[in-house]
Amino acid sequence: MAASTHTVTNQAPPLVEYDAYEADAALRAGIDRHVAPERRAEVHAELGVLGRRAGSAEAQEWGRQANENEPVLRTHDRYGNRIDEVEFHPAWHHLMEQGVAGGLADAWSRPDGHVRRAAAFHVWTQVEPGHGCPLSMTHAAVPALRAQPDLAAVWEPLLTSRSYEFGLGKPAARKAGAIAGMGMTEKQGGSDVRANTTQAEALADGSYALTGHKWFCSAPMSDVFLVLAQAPGGLTCFLLPRVLPDGTRNTFRIQRLKDKLGNRANASSEVEFDGTTIGWRVGEEGRGVRTIIGMVAATRVDCVIGSSALMRQALTQAVHHAEHRSAFGGPLIDKPLMRNVLADLALESEAATTLALRLAAAHDEDSDSARAFLRLAVPAAKYYVTKRCTPTVAEALECLGGNGYVEESGMPRLLRESPLNSIWEGSGNVQALDVLRAMQREPGALDAVLTELGEARGADHRLDAAVKDFLTELSDLDAIEARARRVVERLALVIQGSLLVRHAPAEVADAFCASRLGGDWGHAFGTLPPSGGLDAIVERARPVRG
């Protein structure tokens, strides 16, 4: 009887062996837009290889295994010697190896490097986002290290290497490549790093002895860390390797690993420095925040890219399920209300992806105007896109019904991961206040954003009205701090609207402006104004076409 009753029908097949890059129309269009014509074919081919790898059954199995077999802290060896090591499942190392080889830690050595790397990060972290954390920090450490050229000369080639070599058995200088981490947050301060109490004492050889702690230190098995500590001259940035140049272990006491909501494959830890911990100064004493801010800015962009990747993967799973699941007389994807939901999710995904690539392209431009644009656009995008990630993933999960709530679907893992980027590198209030601070102290930043918005002036009346409303918000300075989130949300939306009006298909831009800017939108996904363009938006989002 069991054999006759246990017939499996009307279930979506596993979404495997597909090309996560080729299927992403918004991402491919961004490459065409931002990469020089003579390099586009090369970049498309390179990302296609990574996209097929990301869509493979093997890579997806690595992601599952890495999350189900969480890192384990080994404070001592069998003889009682302190080792402070974290043990990872082999799947973690496979993911890291592919990520490093795919250039996720290197945007600094090639033309169009930031756009290439952003697209690769977007594709590969859809497999498993936790290992994106050390890859992000490794990439982002480079601009901070350049404040100390002698250290940069040693470490930059290691951090930008395409070789992954795990372990603390030898100094990083003798390894094929290195991974970097960061330690800023302390118990008493959180985002207020100027309240840090870790002390740094100058030694005769030019190094410093550090005493203190870090409350959040992600990826503690990294080869090197950038940390903040109070030197005689004030808060200062230091380079702290796990293994010293002579091959001995630096003192790096891992107290415990954090038991986190998501990001389970990645190890986040509490560490202490006991006065024998050695670091080298990066930049001038007393200018630690200014020195490390280059790293923070780069990781904030990665928060935007990472959230856009989560949205894309959630959308992909939702559309795939709706294609293959039938209910009430036909495939779900053909039902008008489901198509409205999927189109709405697709708009959110495309707007996030397009904005993320625009930030990366501005880094490649490396001009005064691009830097001014980034000064406002990065915290605004970090605030808004990361906030939109959780409701987007939750709605996509609901598209799978009860199947989406089951761990085997992978959707719960995406949902647990979705709030992380809104917290990491400064929560929402920190980002919103940073936008206000930049407007007040760096008026050129607002001018650069308005110049960007001006490129779409007259193309859509709803966008023009939204820009006017944004400027009206700025004209009223009474209690603007209490309205900061409202101001920054509006800023992010008009930047997204401007990009989509200029670069996206007409149906995408029209639906975005009607809903996000024109007010014709409810409080839940699936409330887009009816139009013939919804079908085209859903078709554009299909994970497998042909």
Side-chain angles (χ1 to χ4, degrees), residues 23 67 108 117 166 182 244 251 268 273 373 402 413 438 503 526:
N67 277 270
W108 310 101
R117 186 253 169 201
F166 180 80
M182 175 170 55
L244 296 170
T251 303
S268 299
F273 314 137
F373 170 74
R413 173 152 52 95
H503 305 303

Side-chain angles (χ1 to χ4, degrees), residues 36 79 108 136 155 167 210 220 264 292 340 357 453 463 502 513 522:
Y79 304 106
W108 310 101
S136 175
W155 286 96
L210 275 60
R264 310 291 291 191
I292 208 169
N340 196 310
L357 288 180
L453 298 177
L463 174 60
R502 285 179 282 153
C513 289

Side-chain angles (χ1 to χ4, degrees), residues 135-300:
L135 293 172
S136 175
M137 292 187 294
T138 302
H139 152 72
V142 171
L145 278 174
R146 287 176 175 174
Q148 198 68 36
D150 58 329
L151 294 178
V154 173
W155 286 96
E156 187 169 334
L158 295 168
L159 299 178
T160 57
S161 168
R162 297 296 182 96
S163 298
Y164 172 66
E165 186 175 345
F166 180 80
L168 305 177
K170 56 187 175 182
R174 289 168 44 200
K175 297 174 72 172
I179 298 296
M182 175 170 55
M184 296 174 62
T185 306
E186 296 185 4
K187 298 186 199 69
Q188 73 289 339
S191 295
D192 184 8
V193 296
R194 296 190 185 277
N196 283 7
T197 60
T198 296
Q199 298 295 310
E201 178 185 356
L203 303 178
D205 65 357
S207 64
Y208 288 72
L210 275 60
T211 305
H213 79 283
K214 295 299 169 187
W215 186 234
F216 278 93
C217 180
S218 195
M221 286 299 288
S222 298
D223 297 286
V224 67
F225 296 83
L226 293 184
V227 304
L228 294 178
Q230 299 287 355
L235 192 63
T236 303
C237 181
F238 293 93
L239 179 143
L240 191 160
R242 285 294 316 262
V243 178
L244 296 170
D246 64 3
T248 60
R249 297 280 184 97
N250 206 355
T251 303
F252 191 91
R253 303 295 189 222
I254 304 176
Q255 303 303 301
R256 61 173 176 168
L257 301 185
K258 299 288 195 182
D259 186 6
K260 299 169 294 184
L261 168 67
N263 203 246
R264 310 291 291 191
N266 181 40
S268 299
S269 63
E270 300 167 18
V271 300
E272 295 197 2
F273 314 137
D274 71 352
T276 62
T277 303
I278 302 301
W280 281 265
R281 178 172 49 79
V282 180
E284 301 175 22
E285 282 194 6
R287 297 176 67 83
V289 173
R290 182 175 291 273
T291 300
I292 208 169
I293 199 67
M295 185 176 190
V296 172
T299 50
R300 284 179 175 176

Side-chain angles (χ1 to χ4, degrees), residues 84-435:
D84 294 290
E85 294 188 4
V86 179
E87 185 178 286
F88 292 87
H89 188 271
W92 167 269
H93 298 299
H94 293 317
L95 292 165
M96 287 292 294
E97 185 177 38
Q98 292 291 322
V100 170
L104 271 68
D106 176 25
W108 310 101
S109 60
R110 299 189 296 171
D112 308 309
H114 285 87
V115 167
R116 292 184 184 207
R117 186 253 169 201
F121 195 84
H122 185 277
V123 168
W124 185 247
T125 56
Q126 291 182 54
V127 178
E128 197 294 304
H131 77 292
C133 177
L135 293 172
S136 175
M137 292 187 294
T138 302
H139 152 72
V142 171
L145 278 174
R146 287 176 175 174
Q148 198 68 36
D150 58 329
L151 294 178
V154 173
W155 286 96
E156 187 169 334
L158 295 168
L159 299 178
T160 57
S161 168
R162 297 296 182 96
S163 298
Y164 172 66
E165 186 175 345
F166 180 80
L168 305 177
K170 56 187 175 182
R174 289 168 44 200
K175 297 174 72 172
I179 298 296
M182 175 170 55
M184 296 174 62
T185 306
E186 296 185 4
K187 298 186 199 69
Q188 73 289 339
S191 295
D192 184 8
V193 296
R194 296 190 185 277
N196 283 7
T197 60
T198 296
Q199 298 295 310
E201 178 185 356
L203 303 178
D205 65 357
S207 64
Y208 288 72
L210 275 60
T211 305
H213 79 283
K214 295 299 169 187
W215 186 234
F216 278 93
C217 180
S218 195
M221 286 299 288
S222 298
D223 297 286
V224 67
F225 296 83
L226 293 184
V227 304
L228 294 178
Q230 299 287 355
L235 192 63
T236 303
C237 181
F238 293 93
L239 179 143
L240 191 160
R242 285 294 316 262
V243 178
L244 296 170
D246 64 3
T248 60
R249 297 280 184 97
N250 206 355
T251 303
F252 191 91
R253 303 295 189 222
I254 304 176
Q255 303 303 301
R256 61 173 176 168
L257 301 185
K258 299 288 195 182
D259 186 6
K260 299 169 294 184
L261 168 67
N263 203 246
R264 310 291 291 191
N266 181 40
S268 299
S269 63
E270 300 167 18
V271 300
E272 295 197 2
F273 314 137
D274 71 352
T276 62
T277 303
I278 302 301
W280 281 265
R281 178 172 49 79
V282 180
E284 301 175 22
E285 282 194 6
R287 297 176 67 83
V289 173
R290 182 175 291 273
T291 300
I292 208 169
I293 199 67
M295 185 176 190
V296 172
T299 50
R300 284 179 175 176
V301 173
D302 277 1
C303 288
V304 179
I305 302 169
S307 290
S308 73
L310 282 172
M311 291 184 197
R312 174 62 199 179
Q313 180 56 209
L315 169 66
T316 296
Q317 295 294 337
V319 174
H320 175 73
H321 176 84
E323 281 185 301
H324 293 90
R325 179 77 165 179
S326 292
F328 308 110
L332 283 174
I333 200 166
D334 292 339
K335 305 299 182 184
L337 188 53
M338 178 59 80
R339 291 183 81 79
N340 196 310
V341 171
L342 295 174
D344 215 348
L345 292 171
L347 288 181
E348 203 70 49
S349 173
E350 180 150 354
T353 299
T354 303
L355 178 53
L357 288 180
R358 176 66 185 98
L359 300 180
H363 275 286
D364 281 329
E365 291 172 24
D366 194 28
S367 63
D368 289 342
S369 59
R371 284 187 288 274
F373 170 74
L374 288 168
R375 181 63 187 90
L376 275 191
V378 168
K382 201 283 193 185
Y383 170 82
Y384 187 70
V385 172
T386 63
K387 289 288 186 200
R388 296 299 300 161
C389 186
T390 298
T392 300
V393 173
E395 188 68 51
L397 182 154
E398 186 179 326
C399 290
L400 276 66
N403 287 340
Y405 203 70
V406 173
E407 197 67 39
E408 289 173 316
S409 72
M411 298 300 283
R413 173 152 52 95
L414 295 179
L415 185 60
R416 287 193 298 272
E417 190 74 21
S418 62
L420 174 62
N421 286 322
S422 66
I423 298 169
W424 192 42
E425 300 300 17
S427 59
N429 285 354
V430 171
Q431 304 307 312
L433 295 174
D434 192 30
V435 170

